[in-house]
Amino acid sequence: MSTRPPVRWGILGAAKFAREHMARAIHAAEGAELVALATSDAAKAEPFQAFCPSLRVHASYEALLADPAIDAVYIPLPNHLHVEWTLKALAAGKHVLCEKPLAMAEADFDRLIAARDAAGRLAAEAYMIVHHPQFARARELVQGGAIGELQLVDTVFSYNNAADTGNIRNRPETGGGALPDIGVYIFGSTCYVTGQEPTAVPHAQIRRENGVDVFTQLTAEFPGFAYRGVVSMRMQARQHLTFHGSHGHLTLTAPYNAGVYDIAQLVLETAQGRQVERWPAVNQYVLQVQAFCRSVREGVPYACPLEFSRGTQRMIDLTLAAADGVVR
């Protein structure tokens, strides 16, 4: 058992995702203590206090950032507010775990990285999937040559929220769209497993509604392999990620919402046969919080620093440019 003090957490905003997933993960994680929530609506704090009765409630985000009893903040605000409040939290001397997408353009990461370095604090995007053991295993197998020379990565992530017109993902003024919301998963997962970033996005087709992208299909070029991906907020829920190699292929059947969409499962098929590995009871949100706390208290390198997230955002920017006919 660690003798280091727990990282004391505050949450900026009573978002549904924070209530259902991340607040509970912080409360359950080893090395973490959920201390405070910022919301101007006391009724919204009640569901949080139901599982964390000692939770303090601040009436404003500024008040929480001024609380000296808070070491780290989790930010689940709408996308367009992420950069602003991450910078404010760093300026207040807090470590920051901010929901994805952390920024809306690659250039924003220059400010975030500079602020992180100046504050001497950890700041990261809440990219939970890289903390799940299925991704560590996929990375080990693909980079270790288990499927031979990688030729193609093929992935899709979709859901249908067309009926929820007021959802922030369907509103341009809140940074909505399928690419910001779930494009980070289909792009970042490939970069993490392969250890590479794209050299070009030669083709992208985007369909928009009300000023936000609701369907995108694209092809990309990486050093040594090709990529094709689809994200949509107008299709039946589906997700898969397959790495095709010269001597086999590896598939994650629930890569992005493991334990919610389905049981996390890795399927490796080669000439030697079919191998299946499953992780039925892993909570990747808890693992994410614990990894963050170890980085804060012990200096353990974090799996997806801001530099990693900048690479993911660059791929989104390349995709948007390709769809607009701009070659970069």
Side-chain angles (χ1 to χ4, degrees):
M1 180 179 295
S2 175
T3 59
R4 293 179 173 87
V7 176
R8 300 167 299 177
W9 287 80
I11 300 175
L12 294 188
K16 178 182 177 183
F17 185 79
R19 182 179 72 245
E20 294 181 352
H21 295 285
M22 279 301 296
R24 295 176 184 274
I26 294 168
H27 189 52
E30 181 180 347
E33 181 183 358
L34 181 56
V35 172
L37 171 73
T39 176
S40 59
D41 186 344
K44 290 184 177 180
E46 291 176 0
F48 293 82
Q49 292 173 317
F51 62 83
C52 185
S54 63
L55 189 73
R56 290 200 305 275
V57 179
H58 291 289
S60 70
Y61 303 155
E62 290 86 355
L64 187 146
L65 293 183
D67 187 341
I70 301 299
D71 302 311
V73 296
Y74 166 65
I75 301 177
L77 299 172
N79 295 346
H80 70 297
L81 298 175
H82 288 176
V83 171
E84 174 188 354
W85 284 99
T86 295
L87 292 172
K88 287 180 177 179
L90 287 170
K94 311 301 184 185
H95 303 280
V96 184
L97 182 65
C98 181
E99 265 310 320
K100 48 79 196 159
L102 179 48
M104 302 299 294
E106 182 187 3
D108 290 330
F109 280 94
D110 294 336
R111 288 193 293 154
L112 292 167
I113 290 170
R116 175 202 65 188
D117 293 346
R121 296 292 185 266
L122 175 61
E125 187 173 54
Y127 195 60
M128 74 291 185
I129 66 171
V130 299
H131 304 285
H132 195 291
Q134 68 173 336
F135 272 93
R137 182 64 171 147
R139 182 183 174 105
E140 173 189 20
L141 290 168
V142 170
Q143 294 194 24
I147 59 173
E149 185 179 348
L150 184 60
Q151 304 291 320
L152 171 69
V153 177
D154 181 27
T155 185
V156 62
F157 191 3
S158 64
Y159 59 86
N160 192 334
N161 71 348
D164 191 4
T165 55
N167 191 293
I168 60 173
R169 296 165 182 82
N170 284 319
R171 294 163 53 193
E173 68 272 18
T174 54
L179 278 169
D181 187 45
I182 54 180
V184 293
Y185 292 120
I186 71 164
F187 296 157
S189 58
T190 297
C191 296
Y192 180 77
V193 170
T194 65
Q196 299 184 22
E197 292 189 7
T199 56
V201 175
H203 168 77
Q205 176 187 351
I206 295 178
R207 187 172 80 244
R208 293 180 171 87
E209 295 177 10
N210 189 39
V212 301
D213 61 286
V214 298
F215 175 91
T216 297
Q217 61 175 339
L218 72 142
T219 60
E221 298 171 357
F222 283 74
F225 68 91
Y227 173 95
R228 63 188 182 197
V230 172
V231 292
S232 179
M233 303 192 301
R234 297 296 183 267
M235 290 165 49
Q236 172 66 21
R238 182 180 177 227
Q239 53 185 266
H240 87 265
L241 172 60
T242 299
F243 299 86
H244 301 266
S246 57
H247 293 92
H249 54 84
L250 182 154
T251 297
L252 300 178
T253 60
Y256 307 126
N257 290 126
V260 177
Y261 175 75
D262 203 351
I263 293 173
Q265 177 175 267
L266 182 153
V267 181
L268 174 65
E269 297 190 59
T270 67
Q272 285 70 48
R274 187 172 187 265
Q275 172 184 334
V276 179
E277 299 180 39
R278 295 183 178 90
W279 295 266
V282 171
N283 186 317
Q284 58 190 352
Y285 302 109
V286 172
L287 293 180
Q288 174 181 239
V289 174
Q290 291 178 171
F292 191 96
C293 291
R294 285 195 300 271
S295 293
V296 168
R297 290 297 189 229
E298 303 171 27
V300 176
Y302 199 64
C304 50
L306 293 181
E307 289 80 1
F308 172 88
S309 296
R310 178 171 56 189
T312 302
Q313 184 60 52
R314 179 174 181 269
M315 192 167 178
I316 293 177
D317 292 354
L318 287 172
T319 300
L320 292 169
D324 292 336
V326 178
V327 178
R328 287 203 266 174

